[in-house]
Amino acid sequence: MDKPFSQACVNNRDPILEVLQRVFAHSQNILEIGSGTGQHAVWFAGNMPHLRWQTSDQPMYHAGINQWISQHPATNLVRPVALDVLADTWPSSNYDGVFSANTAHIMPWEAVVAMFAGIRDHLLINGFFCLYGPMKYSGALGAPSNVQFDQMLRQQFPHQGIREFGEVNQLASSAGLKLVEDNAMPANNRLVVWQKVGMTDELYVSTPEVGNQGQEQ
Ligand SMILES: C[S@@+](CC[C@H](N)C(=O)[O-])C[C@H]1O[C@@H](n2cnc3c(N)ncnc32)[C@H](O)[C@@H]1O
């Protein structure tokens, strides 16, 4: 089997890394949901040696992820566990960080709901959830490329489509997650950061970009 490859992962890995290095600066145990090719995992684990990066995905993706890990082994990079967010297969350990890229517009909406429910149950208090991908704001998709992408998704698979930020944020809020950043990213993507709140609150000290809805090309 040829090693899977995504040019988009190569293009977006450094802008994403810049945010993750700041948000996960004091994190130790990260779960990635929907690792896909595995390229993000090897890049982020290799560049953030202070944390343990647990890959996960549906089993059909594991061979590719394992190929990437075998070619870029690191002591902090963990081979994939089977995680379909709709099934009760979440890994038993608790995480102080969760990352997921380009999943919310691919999964059916009920899986997005299940993803946030799982994060509610498996993310430690004060831990961060970072979600990367395109978003819609009050119905506006922004750049024409996002409009075309959304149409293409919905035509191919009616359950897919770029999600409404307010609806995703409502799910997060219901899961005990507080919005702390909404970062504009290259190619009309976003990197949204939530923090799980507990009895204590207002612990976040970085510079928030909440409300920055500008789109970069
Ligand atoms: C477009 S790929 C993104 C892969 C990778 N994160 C990236 O950015 O290149 C979408 C990913 O969502 C995952 N996914 C879709 N439905 C899922 C589900 N129900 N549970 C877990 N992962 C799911 C797929 O398995 C796939 O890895």
Side-chain angles (χ1 to χ4, degrees), residues 74-139:
T75 53
N76 65 329
L77 178 56
V78 186
R79 290 187 182 275
V81 289
L83 175 56
D84 177 335
V85 295
L86 282 168
D88 189 18
T89 57
W90 287 73
S92 55
S93 70
N94 285 312
Y95 297 91
D96 57 2
V98 177
F99 170 76
S100 194
N102 295 312
T103 48
H105 58 280
I106 298 297
M107 297 173 175
W109 178 249
E110 61 263 33
V112 182
V113 174
M115 178 165 70
F116 276 94
I119 291 167
R120 175 197 62 207
D121 295 341
H122 295 276
L123 181 64
L124 295 168
I125 288 175
N126 298 327
F128 294 100
F129 174 41
C130 298
L131 180 64
Y132 173 85
M135 286 278 177
K136 187 163 65 176
Y137 293 85
S138 303

Coordinates of all heavy atoms in Angstrom, one line a residue, residues 74-139:
A74 N 8.7 8.4 17.0 CA 9.1 9.3 18.1 C 8.5 8.7 19.4 O 7.4 8.1 19.4 CB 8.5 10.7 17.9
T75 N 9.2 8.9 20.5 CA 8.8 8.2 21.7 C 7.5 8.8 22.2 O 6.7 8.1 23.0 CB 9.8 8.4 22.8 OG1 10.2 9.7 22.9 CG2 11.1 7.6 22.5
N76 N 7.1 10.0 21.8 CA 5.9 10.6 22.3 C 4.7 10.5 21.3 O 3.7 11.1 21.5 CB 6.2 12.1 22.6 CG 6.5 12.9 21.3 OD1 7.1 12.3 20.4 ND2 6.1 14.2 21.3
L77 N 5.0 9.7 20.3 CA 3.9 9.5 19.2 C 3.4 8.1 19.3 O 4.1 7.1 19.2 CB 4.6 9.8 17.8 CG 3.7 9.6 16.6 CD1 2.4 10.4 16.7 CD2 4.5 9.9 15.4
V78 N 2.1 8.0 19.5 CA 1.5 6.7 19.9 C 0.6 6.2 18.7 O -0.2 7.0 18.1 CB 0.6 6.8 21.2 CG1 0.1 5.4 21.6 CG2 1.4 7.5 22.3
R79 N 0.8 4.9 18.4 CA 0.1 4.3 17.3 C -1.4 4.4 17.5 O -1.9 4.5 18.6 CB 0.5 2.9 17.1 CG 2.0 2.8 16.5 CD 2.4 1.4 16.2 NE 3.8 1.5 15.7 CZ 4.2 1.7 14.4 NH1 3.2 2.0 13.5 NH2 5.4 1.8 14.1
P80 N -2.2 4.4 16.4 CA -3.6 4.7 16.5 C -4.5 3.8 17.3 O -4.3 2.6 17.2 CB -4.1 4.8 15.0 CG -3.1 3.9 14.3 CD -1.8 4.1 15.0
V81 N -5.4 4.3 18.0 CA -6.5 3.5 18.6 C -7.7 3.7 17.7 O -7.9 4.7 17.0 CB -6.8 4.0 20.0 CG1 -5.7 3.6 21.0 CG2 -7.1 5.5 20.1
A82 N -8.6 2.7 17.7 CA -9.8 2.8 16.9 C -10.8 3.7 17.6 O -11.2 3.4 18.7 CB -10.4 1.4 16.7
L83 N -11.1 4.8 17.0 CA -12.1 5.7 17.6 C -13.0 6.2 16.5 O -12.7 7.0 15.6 CB -11.4 6.9 18.2 CG -12.4 8.0 18.8 CD1 -13.4 7.4 19.7 CD2 -11.6 9.1 19.5
D84 N -14.3 5.7 16.5 CA -15.4 6.3 15.8 C -16.2 7.0 16.8 O -16.7 6.3 17.8 CB -16.2 5.1 15.1 CG -17.4 5.7 14.4 OD1 -17.9 6.8 14.7 OD2 -17.9 5.0 13.5
V85 N -16.3 8.3 16.7 CA -17.0 9.1 17.8 C -18.4 8.6 18.0 O -19.0 8.9 19.1 CB -16.9 10.6 17.5 CG1 -15.4 11.0 17.5 CG2 -17.6 11.0 16.2
L86 N -19.0 8.0 17.0 CA -20.4 7.5 17.2 C -20.5 6.2 18.0 O -21.6 5.8 18.4 CB -21.1 7.3 15.8 CG -21.5 8.6 15.2 CD1 -21.9 8.4 13.7 CD2 -22.7 9.2 15.9
A87 N -19.4 5.5 18.1 CA -19.3 4.2 18.8 C -18.7 4.5 20.2 O -18.1 5.5 20.5 CB -18.5 3.2 18.1
D88 N -19.0 3.5 21.1 CA -18.5 3.7 22.5 C -17.1 3.1 22.6 O -16.8 2.2 23.3 CB -19.4 3.0 23.4 CG -19.1 3.3 24.9 OD1 -18.4 4.3 25.1 OD2 -19.5 2.6 25.8
T89 N -16.2 3.7 21.8 CA -14.8 3.1 21.8 C -13.8 4.2 22.2 O -12.6 4.1 21.7 CB -14.5 2.6 20.4 OG1 -14.6 3.7 19.4 CG2 -15.4 1.5 20.0
W90 N -14.2 5.2 22.9 CA -13.2 6.2 23.3 C -12.1 5.6 24.2 O -12.4 4.7 25.1 CB -13.9 7.3 24.1 CG -14.7 8.2 23.2 CD1 -15.9 7.9 22.6 CD2 -14.4 9.5 22.7 NE1 -16.4 8.9 21.8 CE2 -15.5 9.9 21.9 CE3 -13.4 10.4 23.0 CZ2 -15.5 11.2 21.2 CZ3 -13.4 11.6 22.3 CH2 -14.4 12.0 21.5
P91 N -10.9 6.0 24.0 CA -9.8 5.4 24.9 C -10.1 5.8 26.3 O -10.6 6.9 26.6 CB -8.5 6.1 24.3 CG -8.9 7.1 23.3 CD -10.4 6.9 23.0
S92 N -9.6 4.9 27.2 CA -10.0 5.1 28.6 C -9.3 6.2 29.3 O -9.7 6.8 30.3 CB -9.9 3.8 29.4 OG -8.5 3.3 29.2
S93 N -8.1 6.6 28.8 CA -7.3 7.6 29.6 C -7.9 8.9 29.4 O -8.7 9.2 28.5 CB -5.9 7.5 29.2 OG -5.7 8.0 27.9
N94 N -7.6 9.8 30.3 CA -8.1 11.2 30.2 C -7.0 12.1 29.6 O -5.8 11.8 29.8 CB -8.5 11.7 31.6 CG -9.8 11.1 32.0 OD1 -10.8 11.1 31.2 ND2 -9.9 10.6 33.2
Y95 N -7.4 13.1 28.9 CA -6.5 13.9 28.1 C -6.6 15.4 28.6 O -7.7 15.9 29.0 CB -6.9 13.8 26.7 CG -6.7 12.4 26.1 CD1 -7.7 11.5 26.2 CD2 -5.4 12.0 25.7 CE1 -7.6 10.2 25.7 CE2 -5.3 10.7 25.3 CZ -6.3 9.8 25.3 OH -6.1 8.5 24.9
D96 N -5.5 16.1 28.6 CA -5.5 17.5 28.9 C -5.5 18.3 27.6 O -5.4 19.6 27.6 CB -4.5 17.9 29.9 CG -3.1 17.6 29.4 OD1 -2.9 17.1 28.3 OD2 -2.1 17.9 30.2
G97 N -5.6 17.7 26.4 CA -5.7 18.4 25.2 C -6.3 17.4 24.1 O -6.1 16.2 24.2
V98 N -7.2 18.0 23.3 CA -7.7 17.2 22.1 C -7.6 18.1 20.9 O -7.8 19.3 21.0 CB -9.2 16.9 22.4 CG1 -9.8 16.1 21.1 CG2 -9.4 16.0 23.6
F99 N -7.2 17.5 19.8 CA -7.0 18.2 18.5 C -7.8 17.4 17.5 O -7.7 16.1 17.4 CB -5.5 18.3 18.1 CG -5.3 18.8 16.7 CD1 -5.5 20.1 16.4 CD2 -5.0 17.9 15.7 CE1 -5.3 20.6 15.1 CE2 -4.8 18.3 14.4 CZ -4.9 19.7 14.1
S100 N -8.4 18.1 16.6 CA -9.1 17.5 15.4 C -9.1 18.4 14.2 O -9.4 19.6 14.4 CB -10.5 17.0 15.8 OG -11.0 16.2 14.8
A101 N -8.7 17.9 13.1 CA -8.6 18.7 11.9 C -9.5 18.2 10.8 O -9.4 17.0 10.5 CB -7.1 18.8 11.4
N102 N -10.3 19.1 10.2 CA -11.0 18.7 9.0 C -12.0 17.5 9.2 O -12.1 16.7 8.3 CB -10.1 18.4 7.8 CG -9.3 19.7 7.4 OD1 -9.9 20.8 7.3 ND2 -8.0 19.6 7.3
T103 N -12.6 17.5 10.3 CA -13.5 16.4 10.7 C -15.0 16.9 10.7 O -15.9 16.2 10.3 CB -13.1 15.7 12.0 OG1 -12.9 16.8 13.0 CG2 -11.8 14.9 11.9
A104 N -15.2 18.1 11.3 CA -16.6 18.5 11.6 C -17.4 18.6 10.3 O -18.6 18.4 10.4 CB -16.6 19.8 12.4
H105 N -16.8 19.0 9.2 CA -17.6 19.1 8.0 C -17.7 17.8 7.2 O -18.4 17.7 6.2 CB -17.0 20.2 7.1 CG -15.6 20.0 6.7 ND1 -14.5 20.3 7.5 CD2 -15.0 19.5 5.5 CE1 -13.4 20.0 6.9 NE2 -13.6 19.6 5.7
I106 N -16.9 16.8 7.6 CA -16.9 15.5 7.0 C -17.9 14.5 7.7 O -18.6 13.7 7.1 CB -15.5 14.9 7.0 CG1 -14.6 15.8 6.2 CG2 -15.5 13.4 6.4 CD1 -14.9 15.9 4.7
M107 N -17.9 14.5 9.0 CA -18.8 13.7 9.8 C -20.2 14.2 9.6 O -20.5 15.3 9.4 CB -18.5 13.9 11.3 CG -17.2 13.5 11.8 SD -17.0 14.0 13.5 CE -15.4 13.3 13.9
P108 N -21.2 13.2 9.8 CA -22.6 13.7 9.9 C -22.7 14.5 11.2 O -21.9 14.4 12.1 CB -23.4 12.4 10.0 CG -22.4 11.3 10.3 CD -21.0 11.8 9.9
W109 N -23.8 15.4 11.2 CA -23.9 16.3 12.3 C -24.0 15.5 13.6 O -23.5 15.9 14.7 CB -25.1 17.2 12.1 CG -25.4 18.1 13.3 CD1 -26.4 18.0 14.2 CD2 -24.5 19.2 13.7 NE1 -26.3 19.0 15.1 CE2 -25.1 19.7 14.9 CE3 -23.4 19.7 13.3 CZ2 -24.6 20.8 15.6 CZ3 -22.8 20.8 14.0 CH2 -23.4 21.3 15.1
E110 N -24.7 14.3 13.6 CA -24.8 13.6 14.9 C -23.5 13.1 15.4 O -23.3 12.9 16.6 CB -25.8 12.4 14.7 CG -25.5 11.3 13.7 CD -26.2 11.6 12.4 OE1 -26.4 12.7 12.0 OE2 -26.5 10.6 11.7
A111 N -22.5 12.9 14.5 CA -21.2 12.6 14.9 C -20.5 13.8 15.5 O -19.7 13.6 16.5 CB -20.4 12.0 13.7
V112 N -20.7 15.0 15.0 CA -20.2 16.2 15.6 C -20.7 16.3 17.0 O -19.9 16.6 18.0 CB -20.5 17.4 14.8 CG1 -19.8 18.7 15.4 CG2 -20.0 17.3 13.3
V113 N -22.0 16.0 17.2 CA -22.6 16.1 18.5 C -21.9 15.0 19.4 O -21.5 15.3 20.6 CB -24.1 15.8 18.4 CG1 -24.7 15.7 19.8 CG2 -24.8 16.9 17.6
A114 N -21.7 13.8 18.9 CA -21.1 12.8 19.7 C -19.6 13.1 20.0 O -19.1 12.8 21.1 CB -21.1 11.4 18.9
M115 N -18.9 13.8 19.1 CA -17.6 14.2 19.3 C -17.5 15.1 20.5 O -16.7 14.9 21.4 CB -17.0 14.8 18.1 CG -15.5 15.3 18.3 SD -14.7 15.7 16.8 CE -15.5 17.2 16.2
F116 N -18.4 16.1 20.6 CA -18.4 17.0 21.7 C -18.8 16.3 23.0 O -18.2 16.6 24.1 CB -19.2 18.2 21.5 CG -18.5 19.3 20.7 CD1 -18.6 19.3 19.3 CD2 -17.7 20.2 21.3 CE1 -17.9 20.3 18.6 CE2 -17.0 21.2 20.6 CZ -17.1 21.2 19.2
A117 N -19.7 15.3 22.9 CA -20.1 14.6 24.1 C -18.9 13.8 24.7 O -18.7 13.7 25.9 CB -21.3 13.7 23.8
G118 N -18.1 13.2 23.7 CA -17.0 12.4 24.1 C -15.9 13.3 24.7 O -15.2 12.9 25.7
I119 N -15.7 14.5 24.2 CA -14.7 15.4 24.7 C -15.2 15.8 26.1 O -14.4 15.9 27.0 CB -14.6 16.6 23.8 CG1 -13.8 16.1 22.5 CG2 -13.8 17.7 24.4 CD1 -13.9 17.0 21.3
R120 N -16.5 16.1 26.3 CA -17.0 16.4 27.6 C -16.6 15.3 28.7 O -16.2 15.7 29.8 CB -18.5 16.5 27.6 CG -19.2 16.7 28.9 CD -20.7 16.4 28.8 NE -20.8 14.9 28.5 CZ -21.9 14.4 27.9 NH1 -22.9 15.2 27.5 NH2 -22.0 13.1 27.6
D121 N -16.6 14.1 28.2 CA -16.3 13.0 29.1 C -14.8 12.6 29.3 O -14.5 12.0 30.3 CB -17.1 11.7 28.7 CG -18.6 11.9 28.7 OD1 -19.0 12.8 29.4 OD2 -19.3 11.1 28.0
H122 N -14.0 13.0 28.3 CA -12.6 12.6 28.3 C -11.6 13.7 28.4 O -10.4 13.4 28.6 CB -12.3 11.7 27.1 CG -13.1 10.4 27.1 ND1 -12.8 9.3 27.8 CD2 -14.4 10.1 26.6 CE1 -13.7 8.4 27.7 NE2 -14.7 8.8 26.9
L123 N -12.0 14.9 28.4 CA -11.0 16.0 28.5 C -11.1 16.5 29.9 O -12.1 16.7 30.5 CB -11.5 17.2 27.6 CG -10.6 18.4 27.6 CD1 -9.1 18.1 27.0 CD2 -11.2 19.5 26.7
L124 N -9.9 16.6 30.5 CA -9.7 17.0 31.9 C -10.1 18.5 32.0 O -10.0 19.3 31.1 CB -8.3 16.8 32.4 CG -7.8 15.4 32.5 CD1 -6.3 15.3 32.7 CD2 -8.6 14.6 33.6
I125 N -10.6 18.9 33.2 CA -10.9 20.3 33.5 C -9.7 21.1 33.2 O -8.6 20.8 33.6 CB -11.4 20.4 34.9 CG1 -12.8 19.8 35.0 CG2 -11.5 21.9 35.4 CD1 -13.4 19.8 36.4
N126 N -9.9 22.2 32.6 CA -8.9 23.2 32.1 C -8.2 22.8 30.9 O -7.4 23.5 30.3 CB -7.8 23.5 33.2 CG -8.5 24.2 34.4 OD1 -9.4 24.9 34.3 ND2 -8.0 23.9 35.6
G127 N -8.5 21.6 30.4 CA -7.9 21.1 29.1 C -8.5 21.8 27.9 O -9.5 22.4 28.0
F128 N -7.7 21.8 26.8 CA -8.1 22.5 25.6 C -8.6 21.6 24.5 O -8.0 20.5 24.3 CB -7.0 23.4 25.1 CG -6.5 24.5 26.0 CD1 -5.4 24.3 26.8 CD2 -7.3 25.7 26.1 CE1 -5.0 25.3 27.7 CE2 -6.9 26.7 26.9 CZ -5.8 26.5 27.7
F129 N -9.6 22.0 23.7 CA -10.0 21.3 22.5 C -9.7 22.3 21.3 O -10.3 23.4 21.3 CB -11.4 20.9 22.5 CG -11.9 20.3 21.2 CD1 -11.1 19.5 20.5 CD2 -13.2 20.6 20.7 CE1 -11.5 18.9 19.2 CE2 -13.6 20.1 19.5 CZ -12.8 19.3 18.8
C130 N -8.9 21.9 20.4 CA -8.5 22.7 19.2 C -9.2 22.0 18.0 O -8.8 20.9 17.7 CB -7.0 22.8 19.0 SG -6.2 23.6 20.4
L131 N -10.0 22.7 17.3 CA -10.7 22.2 16.1 C -10.3 23.1 14.9 O -10.6 24.3 14.9 CB -12.2 22.2 16.3 CG -13.1 21.7 15.2 CD1 -12.8 20.2 14.9 CD2 -14.6 22.0 15.5
Y132 N -9.7 22.4 13.9 CA -9.3 23.1 12.7 C -10.2 22.8 11.5 O -10.6 21.6 11.4 CB -7.9 22.7 12.4 CG -7.4 23.2 11.1 CD1 -6.8 24.5 11.0 CD2 -7.5 22.5 9.9 CE1 -6.3 25.0 9.7 CE2 -7.0 23.0 8.7 CZ -6.5 24.2 8.6 OH -6.0 24.7 7.4
G133 N -10.5 23.8 10.7 CA -11.2 23.5 9.5 C -12.0 24.8 9.1 O -12.0 25.8 9.8
P134 N -12.8 24.7 8.0 CA -13.6 25.8 7.6 C -14.8 25.9 8.4 O -15.3 24.9 9.0 CB -14.0 25.4 6.1 CG -14.0 23.9 6.1 CD -12.9 23.5 7.0
M135 N -15.3 27.1 8.6 CA -16.5 27.4 9.4 C -17.4 28.4 8.7 O -16.9 29.2 7.9 CB -16.2 28.0 10.7 CG -15.6 27.0 11.7 SD -16.9 26.1 12.6 CE -15.8 25.0 13.5
K136 N -18.7 28.4 9.0 CA -19.7 29.3 8.5 C -20.1 30.2 9.6 O -20.3 29.8 10.7 CB -20.8 28.5 7.9 CG -21.9 29.2 7.2 CD -22.7 28.2 6.4 CE -23.5 27.2 7.2 NZ -24.4 26.3 6.5
Y137 N -20.3 31.5 9.3 CA -20.6 32.5 10.4 C -21.9 33.2 10.0 O -22.0 33.9 9.0 CB -19.5 33.5 10.6 CG -18.3 32.9 11.2 CD1 -17.3 32.3 10.3 CD2 -18.0 32.9 12.5 CE1 -16.2 31.7 10.8 CE2 -16.9 32.3 13.1 CZ -16.0 31.7 12.2 OH -14.8 31.1 12.7
S138 N -23.0 32.9 10.8 CA -24.3 33.4 10.5 C -24.7 33.2 9.0 O -25.2 34.1 8.3 CB -24.4 34.9 10.8 OG -24.0 35.1 12.2
G139 N -24.4 32.0 8.5 CA -24.8 31.6 7.2 C -23.7 32.0 6.1 O -23.8 31.6 5.0

